[in-house]
């Protein structure tokens, strides 16, 4: 089922933990719809490049299995970890900071992917998370 022209419900709920249920409830699905629409804006801002979603929605069981916090925006369908072929995570973060997109957080994680989240009150917070910890993106 397409949530937007380039993003499907299956893509935004995919998990490698196949034995665990990762089915969103109605509120989480509504958030995923909004996230898919936001990712379309990200795609445009990045010049139409493909966006590969590593992880988006995570049920409690999946979130626990990957060792993430219960407060993660992935838990409610408001975050995606993405890769953009031909762009480093650093370049993705810099390009999106330069836009006026209303993201909540954008995080260069372990220089391997970019986390982007949405909220009703976007903070436009840019961070780095790696083996040294969490710090502002500069």
């Amino acid at each position: 089922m397409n949530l937007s022209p380039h993003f499907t419900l299956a893509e935004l709920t995919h998990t490698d933990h196949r034995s665990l249920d990762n089915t969103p409830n109605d509120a989480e699905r509504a958030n995923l719809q909004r996230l898919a629409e936001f990712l379309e804006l990200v795609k445009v801002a990045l010049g139409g490049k493909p966006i590969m979603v590593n992880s988006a929605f995570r049920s409690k069981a999946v979130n626990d299995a990957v060792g993430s916090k219960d407060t993660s925006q992935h838990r409610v369908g408001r975050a995606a970890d993405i890769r953009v072929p031909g762009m480093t995570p650093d370049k993705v973060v810099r390009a999106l900071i330069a836009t006026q997109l209303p993201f909540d957080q954008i995080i260069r994680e372990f220089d391997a992917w970019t986390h982007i989240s949405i909220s009703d009150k976007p903070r436009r917070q840019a961070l780095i998370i790696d083996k040294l910890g969490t710090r502002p993106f500069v």
Side-chain angles (χ1 to χ4, degrees):
M1 166 188 193
N2 281 10
L3 296 175
S4 71
H6 297 99
F7 300 96
T8 66
L9 180 62
E11 180 179 19
L12 297 182
T13 58
H14 172 80
T15 179
D16 289 336
H17 298 278
R18 292 183 186 100
S19 63
L20 301 175
D21 182 25
N22 201 43
T23 305
N25 64 31
D26 289 344
E28 294 159 345
R29 256 184 83 150
N31 286 338
L32 286 170
Q33 177 72 49
R34 196 169 142 221
L35 179 64
E37 292 165 3
F38 182 77
L39 290 173
E40 293 291 346
L41 299 175
V42 169
K43 183 176 179 64
V44 169
L46 298 178
K49 292 185 184 306
I51 294 176
M52 314 302 289
V53 178
N54 297 342
S55 176
F57 174 73
R58 296 184 197 140
S59 66
K60 170 108 171 89
V62 171
N63 202 57
D64 289 348
V66 300
S68 189
K69 296 178 182 176
D70 281 339
T71 57
S72 168
Q73 289 176 304
H74 288 278
R75 278 285 298 114
V76 293
R78 290 186 173 199
D81 294 338
I82 63 171
R83 290 176 295 110
V84 180
M87 292 183 79
T88 65
D90 193 71
K91 286 183 181 178
V92 171
V93 171
R94 289 187 191 286
L96 294 176
I97 288 172
T99 72
Q100 294 304 311
L101 289 177
F103 59 83
D104 187 49
Q105 289 185 316
I106 189 162
I107 307 171
R108 187 187 81 198
E109 293 194 34
F110 302 96
D111 209 22
W113 65 85
T114 305
H115 167 100
I116 190 159
S117 63
I118 58 174
S119 81
D120 295 331
K121 295 181 181 179
R123 297 174 285 174
R124 287 190 47 92
Q125 184 179 47
L127 301 169
I128 296 171
I129 295 177
D130 58 20
K131 64 182 181 181
L132 300 176
T134 302
R135 60 193 179 279
F137 185 95
V138 288

